[in-house]
Structures are given as structure tokens and as C-alpha cells.
Amino acid sequence: MKILVVMKDVPDLVEELELTDDSRLAVDDLSYVPSEWDDQALEEALLMKEDHPDTTVTVVALDTGDVDNMLFTALAKGADRAVKLVGDFGRDLPNRARAALLAQYLREQAFDVVLTGVQAIDDLDGQIAGLLAGLLEWPHASVVRNVEWHPDGIHLIQEYAGGRMAELTVSTPAVLGIQAARKPPRYVTVAKVRQIQKSAAIEEVEVEVPSVPEVRLRRLYKPEAAGHAEMWGEDIDTVVDQLVGLLKERKLLRS
């Protein structure tokens, strides 16, 4: 079985986000980390590889910045190959174009299943898996976990709103949006990543930017404060008196 894991680096939310003079996100001034959901997808792929030793895991990322360390880290965790898609594009690439670029690469390959994170913090639309599956005309399921390979297809659990779940069998090739892996993503040391950087290589594949329908973000706004928190101190009697007074003032408590 051949598994492809799509990975993406996203802004590190530990840092404060800044806007440019034309009200756009200052993407070049941010630090980037692997998308946490893509990390879950990679872990699920590696668990499937452990269950079936003849499985190979390839990780792929678009060259939208410094993604090499992310790909080398995936190799250090146990992936077999790392591929970087290069071309005339940047970080502002919309998801329709991302999916089209990935589809270009996949049409020349022979993967049994493609795993990607269910969403990413910089878009939260959860559309990559569905868009990619549509372009390839492959089966698709998203918000899934417990992915296991069986002779009759891929067995998985798909989550729905309200806590409902369904057990599904999906034929291959297929695209899956991973919600969570069966185990927490594994950790590798910086030393191991550096060792992999000396012994392994990232394959580069040229892709052409397609012309696709898209919705472009024109402007961002910083949220405006609608109020503020009032600290009432640590004295319990004082806090109780103030709370009771506030509830009476708002007619939420009768005398």
C-alpha cells in the first residue's frame, strides 16, 4: 500500500499577528509550524505502516516558504519519501489552487490513499480533501479517525455533529481528511532531524499554477473591544456583594 500525506505549514499562534498598511496579514513576518491536523494525518499513516510493513509513506508539501524542516521532520518520524512541489506561487495560494496543484502531481503517481488534516488554522474551511478528491474523481471522507487497511477497502470512523459517528468502508484510491490519529503524534529530537538532513534528500517536482475559480480575501480588520473585564479582588464578601448588586442592577435577581 502506498500512502501520501499532504502537509502544510501555518502561522504559529504563539506570536502576535500583525497587519500591513493595506490591511493584509504580514505573512513574511510570522513564524510557521506544521499544521496540527496534518501532523495527526502523518501519525495515522505511520500507524498504518506499522500494521502493514509493506506500506510506504510519502509526505508532500507545496513550496510556499521554508517547508524543508517540516518535511525532514516527517522523514525523521518514519516517512519513506518527501516531495516538495515548486512553482510560481506564494503563501497566499487559495485552497482551490492548492488542490489543483496537488492533483497535478497525483495524476502522475499511483497512491492508494491520500491523507490530509481535516482543516488548518489559517483557513478552517476543511475543503482541501474534498476539493482534491473531486478533481481526481476519487472517493472521499472527512472528519475521520481510526483508519485501518483491510482487504475489502479502508475501514474508518467518520464523525458527525451531535456526537454521532458512522463506521464506513471506503474503496481505494481515496482521499481522507483526518480529524485525529489513533495515538498522539510521535516526537523526534532535533538531533535526529539534523541527522536525517545529512542522509536524506527532498525530491522537487515542478508544477504549473492553474487558473481556477477562487474567492480572494481583500481586507482584514483587527477585532474591536466591545468591553473590558472588571476585577473585583480576592475578598469573598466584597465579591459576593458586588455580584449581587450587579444581578439586581440588571434585573436578574429579585430582592
Side-chain angles (χ1 to χ4, degrees), residues 193-228:
V193 175
R194 289 177 177 171
Q195 182 181 358
I196 286 292
Q197 289 174 336
K198 296 178 181 178
S199 60
I202 296 173
E203 304 171 34
E204 293 191 3
V205 176
E206 189 85 23
V207 288
E208 296 183 5
V209 180
S211 176
V212 295
E214 60 185 67
V215 176
R216 283 202 171 269
L217 185 64
R218 294 191 300 175
R219 191 173 182 185
L220 293 172
Y221 297 86
K222 288 188 176 181
E224 297 181 5
H228 64 276

mmCIF file of all heavy atoms in Angstrom, residues 193-228:
data_model
loop_
_atom_site.group_PDB
_atom_site.id
_atom_site.type_symbol
_atom_site.label_atom_id
_atom_site.label_comp_id
_atom_site.label_asym_id
_atom_site.label_seq_id
_atom_site.Cartn_x
_atom_site.Cartn_y
_atom_site.Cartn_z
ATOM 1 N N VAL A 193 16.493 14.934 13.529
ATOM 2 C CA VAL A 193 16.129 15.667 12.317
ATOM 3 C C VAL A 193 17.385 16.118 11.578
ATOM 4 O O VAL A 193 17.480 15.996 10.348
ATOM 5 C CB VAL A 193 15.239 16.880 12.661
ATOM 6 C CG1 VAL A 193 14.960 17.720 11.410
ATOM 7 C CG2 VAL A 193 13.930 16.425 13.289
ATOM 8 N N ARG A 194 18.374 16.609 12.308
ATOM 9 C CA ARG A 194 19.630 17.037 11.675
ATOM 10 C C ARG A 194 20.358 15.866 11.038
ATOM 11 O O ARG A 194 20.978 15.990 9.978
ATOM 12 C CB ARG A 194 20.510 17.725 12.712
ATOM 13 C CG ARG A 194 19.991 19.104 13.131
ATOM 14 C CD ARG A 194 20.842 19.725 14.211
ATOM 15 N NE ARG A 194 20.370 21.062 14.554
ATOM 16 C CZ ARG A 194 20.825 21.772 15.580
ATOM 17 N NH1 ARG A 194 21.767 21.259 16.375
ATOM 18 N NH2 ARG A 194 20.335 22.983 15.814
ATOM 19 N N GLN A 195 20.275 14.717 11.666
ATOM 20 C CA GLN A 195 20.894 13.516 11.101
ATOM 21 C C GLN A 195 20.220 13.139 9.784
ATOM 22 O O GLN A 195 20.901 12.791 8.804
ATOM 23 C CB GLN A 195 20.789 12.366 12.104
ATOM 24 C CG GLN A 195 21.447 11.084 11.633
ATOM 25 C CD GLN A 195 21.282 9.964 12.656
ATOM 26 O OE1 GLN A 195 20.716 10.148 13.724
ATOM 27 N NE2 GLN A 195 21.781 8.788 12.316
ATOM 28 N N ILE A 196 18.888 13.228 9.748
ATOM 29 C CA ILE A 196 18.152 12.926 8.524
ATOM 30 C C ILE A 196 18.501 13.921 7.426
ATOM 31 O O ILE A 196 18.606 13.567 6.244
ATOM 32 C CB ILE A 196 16.636 12.931 8.803
ATOM 33 C CG1 ILE A 196 16.235 11.680 9.589
ATOM 34 C CG2 ILE A 196 15.830 13.025 7.523
ATOM 35 C CD1 ILE A 196 16.352 10.388 8.815
ATOM 36 N N GLN A 197 18.705 15.183 7.800
ATOM 37 C CA GLN A 197 19.047 16.199 6.807
ATOM 38 C C GLN A 197 20.364 15.884 6.094
ATOM 39 O O GLN A 197 20.560 16.279 4.946
ATOM 40 C CB GLN A 197 19.138 17.572 7.482
ATOM 41 C CG GLN A 197 17.788 18.123 7.918
ATOM 42 C CD GLN A 197 17.915 19.413 8.714
ATOM 43 O OE1 GLN A 197 18.945 19.689 9.329
ATOM 44 N NE2 GLN A 197 16.853 20.208 8.725
ATOM 45 N N LYS A 198 21.248 15.169 6.774
ATOM 46 C CA LYS A 198 22.535 14.809 6.178
ATOM 47 C C LYS A 198 22.454 13.561 5.313
ATOM 48 O O LYS A 198 23.254 13.394 4.384
ATOM 49 C CB LYS A 198 23.571 14.589 7.293
ATOM 50 C CG LYS A 198 23.892 15.835 8.105
ATOM 51 C CD LYS A 198 24.876 15.526 9.220
ATOM 52 C CE LYS A 198 25.191 16.761 10.047
ATOM 53 N NZ LYS A 198 26.125 16.451 11.172
ATOM 54 N N SER A 199 21.488 12.685 5.615
ATOM 55 C CA SER A 199 21.444 11.388 4.927
ATOM 56 C C SER A 199 20.302 11.257 3.915
ATOM 57 O O SER A 199 20.337 10.368 3.062
ATOM 58 C CB SER A 199 21.314 10.255 5.957
ATOM 59 O OG SER A 199 20.129 10.408 6.730
ATOM 60 N N ALA A 200 19.295 12.122 3.998
ATOM 61 C CA ALA A 200 18.143 12.020 3.105
ATOM 62 C C ALA A 200 18.024 13.270 2.238
ATOM 63 O O ALA A 200 18.675 14.290 2.502
ATOM 64 C CB ALA A 200 16.859 11.819 3.910
ATOM 65 N N ALA A 201 17.203 13.173 1.214
ATOM 66 C CA ALA A 201 17.000 14.302 0.305
ATOM 67 C C ALA A 201 15.516 14.503 0.055
ATOM 68 O O ALA A 201 14.729 13.557 0.114
ATOM 69 C CB ALA A 201 17.721 14.053 -1.016
ATOM 70 N N ILE A 202 15.152 15.745 -0.202
ATOM 71 C CA ILE A 202 13.775 16.088 -0.553
ATOM 72 C C ILE A 202 13.674 16.176 -2.075
ATOM 73 O O ILE A 202 14.438 16.904 -2.705
ATOM 74 C CB ILE A 202 13.359 17.423 0.085
ATOM 75 C CG1 ILE A 202 13.354 17.309 1.615
ATOM 76 C CG2 ILE A 202 11.986 17.857 -0.415
ATOM 77 C CD1 ILE A 202 13.120 18.622 2.328
ATOM 78 N N GLU A 203 12.749 15.423 -2.651
ATOM 79 C CA GLU A 203 12.542 15.470 -4.089
ATOM 80 C C GLU A 203 11.770 16.733 -4.459
ATOM 81 O O GLU A 203 10.814 17.096 -3.771
ATOM 82 C CB GLU A 203 11.758 14.237 -4.554
ATOM 83 C CG GLU A 203 12.395 12.912 -4.173
ATOM 84 C CD GLU A 203 11.473 11.747 -4.457
ATOM 85 O OE1 GLU A 203 10.712 11.824 -5.457
ATOM 86 O OE2 GLU A 203 11.498 10.768 -3.703
ATOM 87 N N GLU A 204 12.168 17.378 -5.538
ATOM 88 C CA GLU A 204 11.459 18.567 -6.007
ATOM 89 C C GLU A 204 10.764 18.263 -7.325
ATOM 90 O O GLU A 204 11.364 17.707 -8.242
ATOM 91 C CB GLU A 204 12.417 19.750 -6.171
ATOM 92 C CG GLU A 204 12.991 20.258 -4.862
ATOM 93 C CD GLU A 204 13.718 21.583 -5.017
ATOM 94 O OE1 GLU A 204 13.717 22.132 -6.150
ATOM 95 O OE2 GLU A 204 14.287 22.073 -4.023
ATOM 96 N N VAL A 205 9.498 18.628 -7.402
ATOM 97 C CA VAL A 205 8.699 18.401 -8.606
ATOM 98 C C VAL A 205 8.111 19.734 -9.043
ATOM 99 O O VAL A 205 7.448 20.422 -8.256
ATOM 100 C CB VAL A 205 7.570 17.379 -8.350
ATOM 101 C CG1 VAL A 205 6.698 17.232 -9.593
ATOM 102 C CG2 VAL A 205 8.153 16.037 -7.930
ATOM 103 N N GLU A 206 8.345 20.105 -10.292
ATOM 104 C CA GLU A 206 7.829 21.369 -10.829
ATOM 105 C C GLU A 206 6.360 21.218 -11.185
ATOM 106 O O GLU A 206 5.947 20.236 -11.819
ATOM 107 C CB GLU A 206 8.617 21.754 -12.078
ATOM 108 C CG GLU A 206 8.312 23.149 -12.591
ATOM 109 C CD GLU A 206 9.129 24.221 -11.888
ATOM 110 O OE1 GLU A 206 10.200 23.911 -11.349
ATOM 111 O OE2 GLU A 206 8.672 25.388 -11.898
ATOM 112 N N VAL A 207 5.552 22.189 -10.758
ATOM 113 C CA VAL A 207 4.123 22.201 -11.102
ATOM 114 C C VAL A 207 3.757 23.579 -11.618
ATOM 115 O O VAL A 207 4.363 24.588 -11.260
ATOM 116 C CB VAL A 207 3.241 21.827 -9.886
ATOM 117 C CG1 VAL A 207 3.352 20.351 -9.560
ATOM 118 C CG2 VAL A 207 3.583 22.681 -8.670
ATOM 119 N N GLU A 208 2.744 23.617 -12.475
ATOM 120 C CA GLU A 208 2.281 24.881 -13.049
ATOM 121 C C GLU A 208 1.045 25.369 -12.311
ATOM 122 O O GLU A 208 0.133 24.594 -12.022
ATOM 123 C CB GLU A 208 1.956 24.703 -14.531
ATOM 124 C CG GLU A 208 3.168 24.346 -15.382
ATOM 125 C CD GLU A 208 2.813 24.241 -16.853
ATOM 126 O OE1 GLU A 208 1.644 24.545 -17.189
ATOM 127 O OE2 GLU A 208 3.688 23.863 -17.648
ATOM 128 N N VAL A 209 1.024 26.657 -12.029
ATOM 129 C CA VAL A 209 -0.107 27.241 -11.315
ATOM 130 C C VAL A 209 -1.326 27.259 -12.237
ATOM 131 O O VAL A 209 -1.286 27.855 -13.315
ATOM 132 C CB VAL A 209 0.212 28.666 -10.839
ATOM 133 C CG1 VAL A 209 -0.975 29.255 -10.094
ATOM 134 C CG2 VAL A 209 1.441 28.665 -9.947
ATOM 135 N N PRO A 210 -2.414 26.603 -11.828
ATOM 136 C CA PRO A 210 -3.595 26.542 -12.697
ATOM 137 C C PRO A 210 -4.462 27.790 -12.563
ATOM 138 O O PRO A 210 -4.347 28.557 -11.616
ATOM 139 C CB PRO A 210 -4.340 25.316 -12.150
ATOM 140 C CG PRO A 210 -4.000 25.339 -10.680
ATOM 141 C CD PRO A 210 -2.596 25.862 -10.575
ATOM 142 N N SER A 211 -5.330 27.965 -13.526
ATOM 143 C CA SER A 211 -6.333 29.020 -13.448
ATOM 144 C C SER A 211 -7.610 28.396 -12.907
ATOM 145 O O SER A 211 -8.234 27.553 -13.557
ATOM 146 C CB SER A 211 -6.577 29.622 -14.837
ATOM 147 O OG SER A 211 -7.615 30.582 -14.788
ATOM 148 N N VAL A 212 -7.975 28.782 -11.693
ATOM 149 C CA VAL A 212 -9.142 28.178 -11.039
ATOM 150 C C VAL A 212 -10.040 29.276 -10.469
ATOM 151 O O VAL A 212 -9.568 30.362 -10.138
ATOM 152 C CB VAL A 212 -8.708 27.224 -9.901
ATOM 153 C CG1 VAL A 212 -7.932 26.042 -10.450
ATOM 154 C CG2 VAL A 212 -7.905 27.974 -8.848
ATOM 155 N N PRO A 213 -11.345 29.005 -10.355
ATOM 156 C CA PRO A 213 -12.232 29.963 -9.675
ATOM 157 C C PRO A 213 -11.793 30.112 -8.225
ATOM 158 O O PRO A 213 -11.371 29.148 -7.599
ATOM 159 C CB PRO A 213 -13.613 29.297 -9.764
ATOM 160 C CG PRO A 213 -13.483 28.244 -10.799
ATOM 161 C CD PRO A 213 -12.062 27.811 -10.801
ATOM 162 N N GLU A 214 -11.857 31.294 -7.708
ATOM 163 C CA GLU A 214 -11.404 31.486 -6.335
ATOM 164 C C GLU A 214 -12.103 32.663 -5.678
ATOM 165 O O GLU A 214 -12.607 33.560 -6.348
ATOM 166 C CB GLU A 214 -9.895 31.705 -6.291
ATOM 167 C CG GLU A 214 -9.432 32.927 -7.068
ATOM 168 C CD GLU A 214 -7.920 33.042 -7.104
ATOM 169 O OE1 GLU A 214 -7.285 32.187 -7.721
ATOM 170 O OE2 GLU A 214 -7.403 34.007 -6.506
ATOM 171 N N VAL A 215 -12.148 32.618 -4.370
ATOM 172 C CA VAL A 215 -12.630 33.739 -3.564
ATOM 173 C C VAL A 215 -11.413 34.315 -2.850
ATOM 174 O O VAL A 215 -10.754 33.619 -2.077
ATOM 175 C CB VAL A 215 -13.676 33.285 -2.534
ATOM 176 C CG1 VAL A 215 -14.085 34.450 -1.643
ATOM 177 C CG2 VAL A 215 -14.892 32.697 -3.239
ATOM 178 N N ARG A 216 -11.094 35.549 -3.148
ATOM 179 C CA ARG A 216 -9.896 36.150 -2.569
ATOM 180 C C ARG A 216 -10.251 37.046 -1.380
ATOM 181 O O ARG A 216 -11.242 37.779 -1.413
ATOM 182 C CB ARG A 216 -9.128 36.964 -3.610
ATOM 183 C CG ARG A 216 -8.334 36.082 -4.574
ATOM 184 C CD ARG A 216 -7.200 36.853 -5.205
ATOM 185 N NE ARG A 216 -6.311 35.983 -5.955
ATOM 186 C CZ ARG A 216 -5.243 35.405 -5.437
ATOM 187 N NH1 ARG A 216 -4.948 35.587 -4.168
ATOM 188 N NH2 ARG A 216 -4.468 34.649 -6.186
ATOM 189 N N LEU A 217 -9.415 36.966 -0.364
ATOM 190 C CA LEU A 217 -9.576 37.818 0.809
ATOM 191 C C LEU A 217 -9.040 39.206 0.479
ATOM 192 O O LEU A 217 -7.888 39.353 0.085
ATOM 193 C CB LEU A 217 -8.784 37.215 1.980
ATOM 194 C CG LEU A 217 -8.919 37.902 3.320
ATOM 195 C CD1 LEU A 217 -10.342 37.812 3.832
ATOM 196 C CD2 LEU A 217 -7.967 37.269 4.314
ATOM 197 N N ARG A 218 -9.882 40.217 0.610
ATOM 198 C CA ARG A 218 -9.483 41.561 0.223
ATOM 199 C C ARG A 218 -8.915 42.377 1.370
ATOM 200 O O ARG A 218 -8.034 43.210 1.178
ATOM 201 C CB ARG A 218 -10.673 42.306 -0.389
ATOM 202 C CG ARG A 218 -11.152 41.726 -1.710
ATOM 203 C CD ARG A 218 -12.143 42.645 -2.383
ATOM 204 N NE ARG A 218 -13.324 42.860 -1.542
ATOM 205 C CZ ARG A 218 -14.300 43.709 -1.852
ATOM 206 N NH1 ARG A 218 -14.223 44.440 -2.941
ATOM 207 N NH2 ARG A 218 -15.344 43.850 -1.052
ATOM 208 N N ARG A 219 -9.450 42.155 2.568
ATOM 209 C CA ARG A 219 -9.029 43.005 3.672
ATOM 210 C C ARG A 219 -9.298 42.327 5.004
ATOM 211 O O ARG A 219 -10.266 41.585 5.136
ATOM 212 C CB ARG A 219 -9.763 44.349 3.620
ATOM 213 C CG ARG A 219 -9.218 45.402 4.563
ATOM 214 C CD ARG A 219 -9.892 46.734 4.329
ATOM 215 N NE ARG A 219 -9.348 47.761 5.207
ATOM 216 C CZ ARG A 219 -9.817 48.995 5.281
ATOM 217 N NH1 ARG A 219 -10.824 49.368 4.523
ATOM 218 N NH2 ARG A 219 -9.266 49.877 6.098
ATOM 219 N N LEU A 220 -8.422 42.573 5.968
ATOM 220 C CA LEU A 220 -8.600 42.058 7.316
ATOM 221 C C LEU A 220 -8.757 43.227 8.288
ATOM 222 O O LEU A 220 -8.226 44.317 8.044
ATOM 223 C CB LEU A 220 -7.390 41.214 7.738
ATOM 224 C CG LEU A 220 -7.166 39.904 6.998
ATOM 225 C CD1 LEU A 220 -5.826 39.296 7.412
ATOM 226 C CD2 LEU A 220 -8.284 38.922 7.290
ATOM 227 N N TYR A 221 -9.470 43.006 9.376
ATOM 228 C CA TYR A 221 -9.658 44.034 10.394
ATOM 229 C C TYR A 221 -9.303 43.458 11.759
ATOM 230 O O TYR A 221 -9.613 42.305 12.052
ATOM 231 C CB TYR A 221 -11.122 44.508 10.434
ATOM 232 C CG TYR A 221 -11.600 45.169 9.174
ATOM 233 C CD1 TYR A 221 -12.113 44.403 8.130
ATOM 234 C CD2 TYR A 221 -11.547 46.554 9.015
ATOM 235 C CE1 TYR A 221 -12.567 44.996 6.968
ATOM 236 C CE2 TYR A 221 -11.998 47.155 7.857
ATOM 237 C CZ TYR A 221 -12.509 46.382 6.829
ATOM 238 O OH TYR A 221 -12.956 46.979 5.684
ATOM 239 N N LYS A 222 -8.655 44.257 12.561
ATOM 240 C CA LYS A 222 -8.421 43.847 13.934
ATOM 241 C C LYS A 222 -9.733 43.917 14.712
ATOM 242 O O LYS A 222 -10.530 44.841 14.508
ATOM 243 C CB LYS A 222 -7.374 44.748 14.594
ATOM 244 C CG LYS A 222 -5.961 44.520 14.096
ATOM 245 C CD LYS A 222 -4.955 45.313 14.924
ATOM 246 C CE LYS A 222 -3.535 45.008 14.491
ATOM 247 N NZ LYS A 222 -2.536 45.752 15.302
ATOM 248 N N PRO A 223 -9.996 42.955 15.571
ATOM 249 C CA PRO A 223 -11.251 42.997 16.342
ATOM 250 C C PRO A 223 -11.290 44.201 17.261
ATOM 251 O O PRO A 223 -10.270 44.603 17.834
ATOM 252 C CB PRO A 223 -11.209 41.683 17.137
ATOM 253 C CG PRO A 223 -9.768 41.298 17.184
ATOM 254 C CD PRO A 223 -9.156 41.787 15.912
ATOM 255 N N GLU A 224 -12.465 44.805 17.371
ATOM 256 C CA GLU A 224 -12.641 45.959 18.242
ATOM 257 C C GLU A 224 -13.158 45.506 19.599
ATOM 258 O O GLU A 224 -14.083 44.689 19.683
ATOM 259 C CB GLU A 224 -13.623 46.955 17.616
ATOM 260 C CG GLU A 224 -13.121 47.545 16.303
ATOM 261 C CD GLU A 224 -14.107 48.551 15.732
ATOM 262 O OE1 GLU A 224 -15.116 48.842 16.424
ATOM 263 O OE2 GLU A 224 -13.873 49.038 14.615
ATOM 264 N N ALA A 225 -12.586 46.044 20.648
ATOM 265 C CA ALA A 225 -13.001 45.672 22.004
ATOM 266 C C ALA A 225 -14.385 46.232 22.281
ATOM 267 O O ALA A 225 -14.628 47.432 22.163
ATOM 268 C CB ALA A 225 -11.993 46.192 23.012
ATOM 269 N N ALA A 226 -15.318 45.350 22.667
ATOM 270 C CA ALA A 226 -16.675 45.787 22.977
ATOM 271 C C ALA A 226 -16.863 46.059 24.457
ATOM 272 O O ALA A 226 -17.893 46.574 24.883
ATOM 273 C CB ALA A 226 -17.682 44.717 22.524
ATOM 274 N N GLY A 227 -15.873 45.711 25.253
ATOM 275 C CA GLY A 227 -15.969 45.909 26.693
ATOM 276 C C GLY A 227 -14.673 45.492 27.350
ATOM 277 O O GLY A 227 -13.667 45.274 26.677
ATOM 278 N N HIS A 228 -14.690 45.397 28.647
ATOM 279 C CA HIS A 228 -13.479 45.009 29.359
ATOM 280 C C HIS A 228 -13.873 44.230 30.614
ATOM 281 O O HIS A 228 -15.019 44.279 31.079
ATOM 282 C CB HIS A 228 -12.650 46.247 29.739
ATOM 283 C CG HIS A 228 -13.343 47.163 30.698
ATOM 284 N ND1 HIS A 228 -14.251 48.118 30.278
ATOM 285 C CD2 HIS A 228 -13.274 47.262 32.057
ATOM 286 C CE1 HIS A 228 -14.703 48.765 31.331
ATOM 287 N NE2 HIS A 228 -14.143 48.270 32.429
#
